[in-house]
Amino acid sequence: MAGKKMVALLFVAVLVVFGADQVRSDASDHRYKDGDQVPLYANKVGPFHNPSETYRYFDLPFCFPAHMKEKKEALGEVLNGDRLVSAPYQLDFLREKDSEVVCKKRLSKEEVGQFRAAVKKDYYFQMYYDDLPIWGFIGKVDKEGKDPSDFKYYLFKHIHFDIFYNKDRVIEINVRTDPNALVDVTEDKEVDVEFLYTVKWKDTNTPFDKRMDKYSQSSSLPHHLEIHWFSIINSCVTVLLLTGFLATILMRVLKNDFVKYAHDEESAEDQEETGWKYIHGDVFRYPKYKSLFAASLGSGTQLFTLTVFIFILALVGVFYPYNRGALFTALVVIYALTSGIAGYTATSFYCQLEGTNWVRNLLLTGCLFCGPLFLTFCFLNTVAIVYTATAALPFGTIVVIVLIWTLVTSPLLVLGGIAGKNSKAEFQAPCRTTKYPREIPPLPWYRGAIPQMAMAGFLPFSAIYIELYYIFASVWGHRIYTIYSILFIVFIILLIVTAFITVALTYFQLAAEDHEWWWRSFLCGGSTGLFIYAYCLYYYYARSDMSGFMQTSFFFGYMACICYGFFLMLGTVGFRAALLFVRHIYRSIKCE
């Protein structure tokens, strides 16, 4: 009951946080009269193929606005690398402008060099107009000559804003750059530039509450949906075949085992036992490194709970496209609030395994996932600071995260640990464990931990790999992913396949009289995380155009943390499934 209450309170807390965390424009009701100033913020610029490598808009020598104002941002927006400042364009409601001058300026040699380097790397800019995202390229490369030294680099100097409105609300905004209004920045020489912009207003019947739909429709186009459904049908067929195959084999084999063992008991008491019954005195012998094992289960359970809550928020529509930073805020807040679950699970299981130093176990649980994540963050944040990128977190944000960890995560972890220690639950073992462990017979190479992990990870990975491409293209690219219902189905399939394959491999391990199944079931369950990391290598080299030290380190650094999280979460699922199975089969036979 206490666990159910904790989860219910957590869900209420999360909804309260997200009620308060919706991004608002300056005009909170998004209603304007003729001539009203509509907020337009410049966000960032960066190479199109390196989504993590973004810089402040005015790191490039664009025209400055008359009154520079920085927008206050929520935690998630800062984590997302958003740094909003007033843009130099005035797009007042229903006021059209034709070739309005933003500013005239003489670009020095250094500024021309900056723009040329940016155009060479395909820099794009991003802005927000009344909370609607807009982006465009800052220039283009003319590759008429075969040799790169003959390439011409041009800066766009005239921007066209096409804005659609419905009565007193802004519905849509599109940006075009004039292909004829160009500034040649190929050579290192001073250039005079006149930056211009044009604004056109058009009426539309699209209602205000549907204005974000155009951003989510790209991932719901028929040909995309066909691929997603093909992926799910493929995964479902895999799951059905696998589960049917395993269920048939295991049920038939187990039935034969039960009949054989019952017959053996009746016919000859002194007959030598073989197979998994033979090791009934060792199968519930506690694993080595039980503190680390319990901590892994605690962290895995917390990450599983975090994933479920993220899915709930996604399915109720919290993560609509360009709700800036909502996902990051959700991850930080829910991870902090679920740390009690990690503390409770780890300590209660550690005490069931007759562990004595529960405080050390609790510290290990707190650091098992956070420790590697913190070290990775420190390294990558240092890289971002050296690059002066917006991914570098300001000192204030780091202080906020440390305070959340100190005032929320740690106390809840300790409270969960105390509750786990006081739960006084005993480990339910159907068979008594003998005093001395049996020797494990020599086994062929394919029964080793690494070959078994390779077998265990491949099937769950094959069920999700098609969907992985779309997720990667969204997280490490500019695609928008909004089909959370399909993703949730894929997640359920992943859990089922992981559980079944781990159970099957555990049975074969026990049948070979190898009783050290605890860690093996955890490693086999979590091995999908290693396959996902291997897919990262494939995606980076074959499917993306990412380049540069910063983007590469961000990609492999944060993906290592995500895959490690998957390893802990799916390892927990695998072990729990295997534990249920082992308890069931040993309950079904008579153990002396």
Side-chain angles (χ1 to χ4, degrees):
M1 281 300 290
K4 284 182 182 175
K5 280 184 181 172
M6 183 188 272
V7 171
L9 283 169
L10 174 61
F11 189 58
V12 170
V14 168
L15 288 177
V16 166
V17 166
F18 281 94
D21 192 55
Q22 294 294 310
V23 175
R24 298 278 178 232
S25 74
D26 292 356
S28 56
D29 62 351
H30 296 279
R31 291 183 181 278
Y32 306 99
K33 297 188 188 78
D34 190 351
D36 278 0
Q37 188 177 346
V38 183
L40 173 66
Y41 288 105
N43 185 12
K44 51 195 177 186
V45 291
F48 183 74
H49 297 297
N50 289 357
S52 301
E53 188 187 337
T54 53
Y55 303 93
R56 290 171 181 269
Y57 183 78
F58 290 110
D59 282 356
L60 289 177
F62 288 114
C63 302
F64 278 92
H67 304 288
M68 178 76 84
K69 181 180 136 193
E70 293 204 4
K71 186 179 186 296
K72 286 185 181 175
E73 287 156 338
L75 173 65
E77 293 177 89
V78 179
L79 293 175
N80 198 32
D82 290 338
R83 304 289 184 272
L84 275 69
V85 293
S86 308
Y89 308 103
Q90 283 284 112
L91 310 185
D92 296 336
F93 195 65
L94 298 181
R95 294 291 163 92
E96 295 205 342
K97 294 182 178 177
D98 190 25
S99 302
E100 183 90 3
V101 177
V102 186
C103 73
K104 294 178 183 176
K105 69 185 292 184
R106 167 162 284 208
L107 297 177
S108 65
K109 286 182 186 176
E110 291 77 19
E111 289 173 335
V112 167
Q114 272 182 284
F115 274 127
R116 183 173 61 251
V119 171
K120 197 183 257 183
K121 288 184 180 176
D122 268 340
Y123 265 51
Y124 70 98
F125 64 84
Q126 191 194 29
M127 299 184 186
Y128 282 93
Y129 183 65
D130 192 40
D131 286 341
L132 291 170
I134 47 176
W135 52 90
F137 287 100
I138 67 162
K140 70 168 188 176
V141 183
D142 189 348
K143 298 181 177 179
E144 279 185 6
K146 293 278 175 75
D147 191 62
S149 60
D150 297 331
F151 289 178
K152 295 273 188 187
Y153 301 96
Y154 295 104
L155 180 69
F156 294 129
K157 64 175 183 176
H158 192 167
I159 294 184
H160 292 258
F161 295 96
D162 295 316
I163 309 171
F164 295 84
Y165 69 97
N166 186 351
K167 293 173 185 167
D168 56 354
R169 289 178 181 275
V170 176
I171 303 299
E172 187 182 332
I173 179 165
N174 296 315
V175 170
R176 295 178 291 115
T177 42
D178 188 339
N180 300 315
L182 303 170
V183 180
D184 192 340
V185 288
T186 311
E187 295 173 19
D188 275 330
K189 61 177 186 184
E190 291 187 354
V191 178
D192 289 315
V193 189
E194 188 175 54
F195 287 102
L196 309 165
Y197 69 107
T198 297
V199 186
K200 297 284 182 223
W201 287 85
K202 295 169 186 174
D203 198 0
T204 180
N205 295 322
T206 308
F208 179 76
D209 55 356
K210 298 266 193 239
R211 71 178 192 156
M212 281 295 180
D213 287 2
K214 85 166 204 177
Y215 302 107
S216 56
Q217 277 164 359
S218 61
S219 60
S220 308
L221 291 171
H223 65 279
H224 283 309
L225 275 178
E226 277 174 23
I227 295 168
H228 288 291
W229 283 115
F230 170 75
S231 156
I232 284 196
I233 291 164
N234 169 45
S235 305
C236 284
V237 169
T238 309
V239 173
L240 287 171
L241 286 173
L242 174 75
T243 48
F245 176 67
L246 289 178
T248 309
I249 288 181
L250 287 180
M251 295 309 284
R252 184 172 291 175
V253 170
L254 283 171
K255 194 177 177 184
N256 292 342
D257 287 350
F258 292 145
V259 169
K260 177 168 157 281
Y261 293 146
H263 179 67
D264 288 349
E265 281 163 14
E266 289 166 13
S267 61
E269 289 296 321
D270 60 342
Q271 188 177 325
E272 182 71 18
E273 289 178 329
T274 56
W276 54 267
K277 190 191 174 188
Y278 176 63
I279 55 169
H280 64 75
D282 293 279
V283 78
F284 292 106
R285 190 178 302 284
Y286 299 145
K288 295 172 186 172
Y289 315 114
K290 51 188 161 188
S291 182
L292 177 61
F293 190 76
S296 301
L297 282 183
S299 295
T301 309
Q302 180 187 5
L303 292 167
F304 177 73
T305 314
L306 168 70
T307 309
V308 170
F309 273 112
I310 290 291
F311 269 118
I312 291 169
L313 291 173
L315 292 169
V316 298
V318 170
F319 305 131
Y320 59 82
Y322 301 104
N323 183 5
R324 295 191 296 275
L327 179 60
F328 287 103
T329 309
L331 288 169
V332 170
V333 171
I334 300 172
Y335 185 83
L337 293 174
T338 50
S339 57
I341 292 169
Y344 177 84
T345 309
T347 310
S348 64
F349 198 78
Y350 181 66
C351 292
Q352 283 178 40
L353 300 181
E354 297 170 10
T356 49
N357 196 343
W358 68 275
V359 176
R360 191 181 69 179
N361 173 249
L362 203 57
L363 285 170
L364 184 59
T365 307
C367 298
L368 195 64
F369 183 70
C370 276
L373 182 65
F374 177 72
L375 292 174
T376 307
F377 163 75
C378 287
F379 170 70
L380 295 179
N381 206 54
T382 307
V383 171
I385 289 168
V386 170
Y387 272 73
T388 65
T390 60
L393 293 193
F395 180 70
T397 307
I398 296 171
V399 169
V400 167
I401 292 172
V402 170
L403 284 174
I404 289 172
W405 195 82
T406 312
L407 302 177
V408 182
T409 310
S410 302
L412 284 176
L413 184 75
V414 172
L415 287 172
I418 293 167
K421 179 181 173 289
N422 295 335
S423 66
K424 298 211 167 37
E426 289 187 6
F427 186 76
Q428 302 295 318
C431 304
R432 277 204 312 275
T433 302
T434 55
K435 193 170 184 184
Y436 301 105
R438 285 186 190 275
E439 193 177 338
I440 297 168
L443 298 169
W445 66 269
Y446 57 83
R447 295 230 181 239
I450 291 172
Q452 295 282 296
M453 284 172 70
M455 276 188 263
F458 178 72
L459 271 168
F461 175 75
S462 68
I464 62 167
Y465 83 98
I466 294 177
E467 211 60 29
L468 269 183
Y469 169 72
Y470 288 97
I471 295 161
F472 272 59
S474 170
V475 176
W476 300 105
H478 301 281
R479 271 181 193 263
I480 297 162
Y481 193 97
T482 54
I483 320 173
Y484 300 115
S485 51
I486 288 181
L487 190 58
F488 186 61
I489 296 169
V490 171
F491 178 66
I492 300 292
I493 290 168
L494 174 66
L495 297 181
I496 293 168
V497 181
T498 302
F500 263 89
I501 197 76
T502 311
V503 164
L505 290 172
T506 302
Y507 170 77
F508 294 131
Q509 185 182 355
L510 297 177
E513 297 173 19
D514 179 356
H515 54 78
E516 293 181 347
W517 63 275
W518 299 67
W519 272 110
R520 180 72 64 82
S521 64
F522 189 91
L523 293 172
C524 284
S527 58
T528 308
L530 302 177
F531 274 83
I532 296 173
Y533 200 65
Y535 180 81
C536 292
L537 289 164
Y538 163 75
Y539 181 83
Y540 180 85
Y541 289 107
R543 303 303 294 268
S544 80
D545 293 309
M546 291 187 254
S547 60
F549 179 72
M550 179 184 164
Q551 182 62 42
T552 305
S553 58
F554 262 69
F555 179 73
F556 286 110
Y558 281 128
M559 281 314 301
C561 291
I562 291 167
C563 293
Y564 175 52
F566 262 93
F567 176 79
L568 292 173
M569 179 177 76
L570 294 175
T572 302
V573 170
F575 169 72
R576 291 291 183 192
L579 181 61
L580 277 172
F581 170 74
V582 173
R583 276 183 179 150
H584 172 72
I585 62 170
Y586 281 95
R587 240 185 233 121
S588 306
I589 59 165
K590 292 178 185 172
C591 300
E592 291 79 28

Short mmCIF file of all heavy atoms in Angstrom, two decimals, residues 32 93-96 161-174 199-208:
data_model
loop_
_atom_site.label_atom_id
_atom_site.label_comp_id
_atom_site.label_asym_id
_atom_site.label_seq_id
_atom_site.Cartn_x
_atom_site.Cartn_y
_atom_site.Cartn_z
N TYR A 32 -3.70 39.98 -29.55
CA TYR A 32 -3.09 41.26 -29.89
C TYR A 32 -4.07 42.15 -30.64
O TYR A 32 -4.97 41.65 -31.34
CB TYR A 32 -1.83 41.04 -30.77
CG TYR A 32 -0.84 40.10 -30.15
CD1 TYR A 32 -0.78 38.76 -30.55
CD2 TYR A 32 0.04 40.53 -29.16
CE1 TYR A 32 0.12 37.88 -29.98
CE2 TYR A 32 0.95 39.66 -28.58
CZ TYR A 32 0.98 38.33 -29.00
OH TYR A 32 1.88 37.47 -28.42
N PHE A 93 1.85 43.52 -34.81
CA PHE A 93 0.66 42.80 -35.27
C PHE A 93 -0.04 43.54 -36.42
O PHE A 93 -0.38 44.73 -36.30
CB PHE A 93 -0.31 42.60 -34.09
CG PHE A 93 -1.38 41.59 -34.36
CD1 PHE A 93 -1.07 40.25 -34.55
CD2 PHE A 93 -2.72 41.96 -34.43
CE1 PHE A 93 -2.05 39.31 -34.81
CE2 PHE A 93 -3.71 41.03 -34.68
CZ PHE A 93 -3.38 39.70 -34.87
N LEU A 94 -0.23 42.86 -37.55
CA LEU A 94 -0.92 43.34 -38.76
C LEU A 94 -0.23 44.50 -39.47
O LEU A 94 -0.82 45.13 -40.35
CB LEU A 94 -2.38 43.72 -38.44
CG LEU A 94 -3.27 42.58 -37.94
CD1 LEU A 94 -4.69 43.10 -37.70
CD2 LEU A 94 -3.31 41.42 -38.92
N ARG A 95 1.03 44.79 -39.11
CA ARG A 95 1.75 45.89 -39.77
C ARG A 95 2.69 45.31 -40.84
O ARG A 95 3.63 44.62 -40.50
CB ARG A 95 2.56 46.71 -38.75
CG ARG A 95 1.69 47.46 -37.76
CD ARG A 95 0.93 48.58 -38.46
NE ARG A 95 -0.18 49.07 -37.68
CZ ARG A 95 -0.09 50.09 -36.82
NH1 ARG A 95 1.06 50.70 -36.64
NH2 ARG A 95 -1.17 50.49 -36.18
N GLU A 96 2.38 45.61 -42.10
CA GLU A 96 3.22 45.09 -43.18
C GLU A 96 4.41 46.02 -43.41
O GLU A 96 4.31 47.23 -43.23
CB GLU A 96 2.39 44.94 -44.46
CG GLU A 96 1.28 43.90 -44.34
CD GLU A 96 0.87 43.32 -45.68
OE1 GLU A 96 1.19 43.92 -46.71
OE2 GLU A 96 0.23 42.24 -45.68
N PHE A 161 9.27 37.59 -43.92
CA PHE A 161 8.42 36.93 -42.92
C PHE A 161 6.99 36.89 -43.47
O PHE A 161 6.40 37.94 -43.75
CB PHE A 161 8.41 37.72 -41.61
CG PHE A 161 9.74 37.76 -40.91
CD1 PHE A 161 10.60 38.84 -41.07
CD2 PHE A 161 10.15 36.72 -40.09
CE1 PHE A 161 11.82 38.89 -40.42
CE2 PHE A 161 11.38 36.76 -39.43
CZ PHE A 161 12.22 37.85 -39.60
N ASP A 162 6.42 35.71 -43.63
CA ASP A 162 5.01 35.55 -44.00
C ASP A 162 4.25 35.07 -42.77
O ASP A 162 4.48 33.95 -42.29
CB ASP A 162 4.86 34.51 -45.14
CG ASP A 162 5.54 34.99 -46.41
OD1 ASP A 162 5.36 36.18 -46.75
OD2 ASP A 162 6.24 34.20 -47.06
N ILE A 163 3.37 35.95 -42.26
CA ILE A 163 2.69 35.63 -40.99
C ILE A 163 1.19 35.45 -41.25
O ILE A 163 0.56 36.27 -41.95
CB ILE A 163 2.91 36.77 -39.96
CG1 ILE A 163 4.41 37.09 -39.85
CG2 ILE A 163 2.36 36.36 -38.60
CD1 ILE A 163 4.73 38.31 -39.02
N PHE A 164 0.64 34.37 -40.70
CA PHE A 164 -0.80 34.08 -40.84
C PHE A 164 -1.48 34.36 -39.50
O PHE A 164 -0.95 34.00 -38.44
CB PHE A 164 -1.00 32.60 -41.23
CG PHE A 164 -0.45 32.27 -42.58
CD1 PHE A 164 0.90 31.95 -42.74
CD2 PHE A 164 -1.27 32.29 -43.70
CE1 PHE A 164 1.42 31.65 -44.00
CE2 PHE A 164 -0.76 31.98 -44.97
CZ PHE A 164 0.59 31.67 -45.11
N TYR A 165 -2.64 35.01 -39.57
CA TYR A 165 -3.34 35.35 -38.33
C TYR A 165 -4.82 34.94 -38.45
O TYR A 165 -5.37 34.81 -39.54
CB TYR A 165 -3.23 36.86 -38.05
CG TYR A 165 -3.99 37.72 -39.03
CD1 TYR A 165 -5.28 38.19 -38.71
CD2 TYR A 165 -3.45 38.06 -40.27
CE1 TYR A 165 -5.99 38.97 -39.63
CE2 TYR A 165 -4.15 38.83 -41.18
CZ TYR A 165 -5.43 39.28 -40.85
OH TYR A 165 -6.15 40.03 -41.74
N ASN A 166 -5.45 34.72 -37.32
CA ASN A 166 -6.88 34.44 -37.24
C ASN A 166 -7.46 35.39 -36.19
O ASN A 166 -7.23 35.21 -35.00
CB ASN A 166 -7.11 32.97 -36.85
CG ASN A 166 -8.58 32.59 -36.90
OD1 ASN A 166 -9.46 33.44 -37.05
ND2 ASN A 166 -8.86 31.30 -36.74
N LYS A 167 -8.15 36.43 -36.65
CA LYS A 167 -8.71 37.48 -35.78
C LYS A 167 -7.58 38.16 -35.01
O LYS A 167 -6.76 38.84 -35.60
CB LYS A 167 -9.78 36.90 -34.86
CG LYS A 167 -11.02 36.44 -35.64
CD LYS A 167 -12.00 35.73 -34.77
CE LYS A 167 -13.15 35.18 -35.60
NZ LYS A 167 -13.97 34.22 -34.88
N ASP A 168 -7.50 37.93 -33.68
CA ASP A 168 -6.49 38.65 -32.90
C ASP A 168 -5.34 37.75 -32.45
O ASP A 168 -4.66 38.03 -31.48
CB ASP A 168 -7.13 39.31 -31.67
CG ASP A 168 -7.86 38.29 -30.80
OD1 ASP A 168 -7.96 37.11 -31.21
OD2 ASP A 168 -8.33 38.67 -29.70
N ARG A 169 -5.15 36.65 -33.19
CA ARG A 169 -4.10 35.71 -32.78
C ARG A 169 -3.16 35.37 -33.94
O ARG A 169 -3.58 35.32 -35.10
CB ARG A 169 -4.72 34.40 -32.28
CG ARG A 169 -5.44 34.52 -30.93
CD ARG A 169 -6.04 33.17 -30.61
NE ARG A 169 -6.79 33.09 -29.37
CZ ARG A 169 -6.26 32.87 -28.18
NH1 ARG A 169 -4.96 32.75 -28.04
NH2 ARG A 169 -7.03 32.79 -27.11
N VAL A 170 -1.89 35.14 -33.61
CA VAL A 170 -0.91 34.69 -34.60
C VAL A 170 -1.01 33.17 -34.71
O VAL A 170 -1.00 32.46 -33.70
CB VAL A 170 0.52 35.08 -34.17
CG1 VAL A 170 1.55 34.53 -35.16
CG2 VAL A 170 0.65 36.60 -34.07
N ILE A 171 -1.14 32.66 -35.94
CA ILE A 171 -1.35 31.22 -36.14
C ILE A 171 -0.10 30.54 -36.71
O ILE A 171 0.25 29.45 -36.33
CB ILE A 171 -2.55 30.96 -37.09
CG1 ILE A 171 -3.82 31.62 -36.52
CG2 ILE A 171 -2.76 29.47 -37.31
CD1 ILE A 171 -4.26 31.10 -35.16
N GLU A 172 0.57 31.22 -37.65
CA GLU A 172 1.69 30.56 -38.32
C GLU A 172 2.66 31.63 -38.81
O GLU A 172 2.27 32.75 -39.13
CB GLU A 172 1.16 29.75 -39.52
CG GLU A 172 2.18 28.88 -40.20
CD GLU A 172 1.59 28.14 -41.40
OE1 GLU A 172 0.36 27.85 -41.43
OE2 GLU A 172 2.37 27.85 -42.33
N ILE A 173 3.93 31.28 -38.86
CA ILE A 173 4.93 32.19 -39.42
C ILE A 173 5.94 31.38 -40.23
O ILE A 173 6.39 30.32 -39.80
CB ILE A 173 5.64 33.03 -38.32
CG1 ILE A 173 6.70 33.95 -38.96
CG2 ILE A 173 6.25 32.14 -37.24
CD1 ILE A 173 7.19 35.05 -38.06
N ASN A 174 6.23 31.87 -41.42
CA ASN A 174 7.23 31.22 -42.28
C ASN A 174 8.30 32.24 -42.64
O ASN A 174 8.01 33.44 -42.77
CB ASN A 174 6.59 30.67 -43.56
CG ASN A 174 5.59 29.58 -43.27
OD1 ASN A 174 5.84 28.70 -42.47
ND2 ASN A 174 4.42 29.65 -43.91
N VAL A 199 7.72 42.10 -44.28
CA VAL A 199 6.69 41.41 -43.49
C VAL A 199 5.38 41.44 -44.25
O VAL A 199 4.91 42.51 -44.67
CB VAL A 199 6.49 42.09 -42.11
CG1 VAL A 199 5.53 41.27 -41.25
CG2 VAL A 199 7.82 42.28 -41.39
N LYS A 200 4.76 40.28 -44.45
CA LYS A 200 3.44 40.18 -45.09
C LYS A 200 2.49 39.45 -44.14
O LYS A 200 2.86 38.43 -43.56
CB LYS A 200 3.52 39.39 -46.41
CG LYS A 200 4.39 40.04 -47.47
CD LYS A 200 3.71 41.21 -48.14
CE LYS A 200 4.60 41.79 -49.23
NZ LYS A 200 4.63 43.25 -49.23
N TRP A 201 1.27 39.96 -44.00
CA TRP A 201 0.25 39.34 -43.14
C TRP A 201 -0.84 38.73 -43.99
O TRP A 201 -1.31 39.35 -44.94
CB TRP A 201 -0.35 40.37 -42.18
CG TRP A 201 0.61 40.76 -41.09
CD1 TRP A 201 1.57 41.72 -41.16
CD2 TRP A 201 0.69 40.19 -39.79
NE1 TRP A 201 2.26 41.78 -39.98
CE2 TRP A 201 1.74 40.87 -39.11
CE3 TRP A 201 -0.01 39.20 -39.12
CZ2 TRP A 201 2.10 40.56 -37.80
CZ3 TRP A 201 0.34 38.89 -37.81
CH2 TRP A 201 1.39 39.57 -37.17
N LYS A 202 -1.26 37.50 -43.65
CA LYS A 202 -2.32 36.82 -44.40
C LYS A 202 -3.32 36.23 -43.43
O LYS A 202 -2.94 35.71 -42.38
CB LYS A 202 -1.72 35.70 -45.27
CG LYS A 202 -0.79 36.22 -46.36
CD LYS A 202 -0.02 35.11 -47.04
CE LYS A 202 1.00 35.69 -48.01
NZ LYS A 202 1.88 34.68 -48.58
N ASP A 203 -4.59 36.29 -43.83
CA ASP A 203 -5.67 35.75 -42.99
C ASP A 203 -5.75 34.23 -43.17
O ASP A 203 -5.48 33.71 -44.24
CB ASP A 203 -7.00 36.40 -43.41
CG ASP A 203 -8.06 36.25 -42.33
OD1 ASP A 203 -7.75 35.64 -41.29
OD2 ASP A 203 -9.19 36.73 -42.54
N THR A 204 -6.13 33.53 -42.11
CA THR A 204 -6.29 32.07 -42.18
C THR A 204 -7.45 31.64 -41.28
O THR A 204 -7.80 32.36 -40.34
CB THR A 204 -5.01 31.33 -41.75
OG1 THR A 204 -5.22 29.93 -41.84
CG2 THR A 204 -4.61 31.65 -40.33
N ASN A 205 -8.05 30.49 -41.59
CA ASN A 205 -9.16 29.98 -40.76
C ASN A 205 -8.71 28.97 -39.71
O ASN A 205 -9.51 28.46 -38.94
CB ASN A 205 -10.21 29.29 -41.66
CG ASN A 205 -10.87 30.30 -42.60
OD1 ASN A 205 -11.11 31.44 -42.19
ND2 ASN A 205 -11.12 29.90 -43.83
N THR A 206 -7.42 28.66 -39.69
CA THR A 206 -6.91 27.66 -38.71
C THR A 206 -7.12 28.19 -37.30
O THR A 206 -6.71 29.31 -36.99
CB THR A 206 -5.40 27.42 -38.95
OG1 THR A 206 -5.20 27.11 -40.32
CG2 THR A 206 -4.89 26.30 -38.06
N PRO A 207 -7.78 27.41 -36.42
CA PRO A 207 -7.98 27.89 -35.04
C PRO A 207 -6.67 27.91 -34.25
O PRO A 207 -5.73 27.18 -34.59
CB PRO A 207 -8.97 26.89 -34.44
CG PRO A 207 -8.86 25.67 -35.29
CD PRO A 207 -8.41 26.12 -36.65
N PHE A 208 -6.64 28.72 -33.21
CA PHE A 208 -5.41 28.92 -32.42
C PHE A 208 -4.91 27.60 -31.80
O PHE A 208 -3.71 27.34 -31.77
CB PHE A 208 -5.69 29.95 -31.32
CG PHE A 208 -4.51 30.22 -30.44
CD1 PHE A 208 -3.46 31.01 -30.89
CD2 PHE A 208 -4.41 29.67 -29.16
CE1 PHE A 208 -2.35 31.26 -30.08
CE2 PHE A 208 -3.32 29.91 -28.36
CZ PHE A 208 -2.28 30.72 -28.82
#
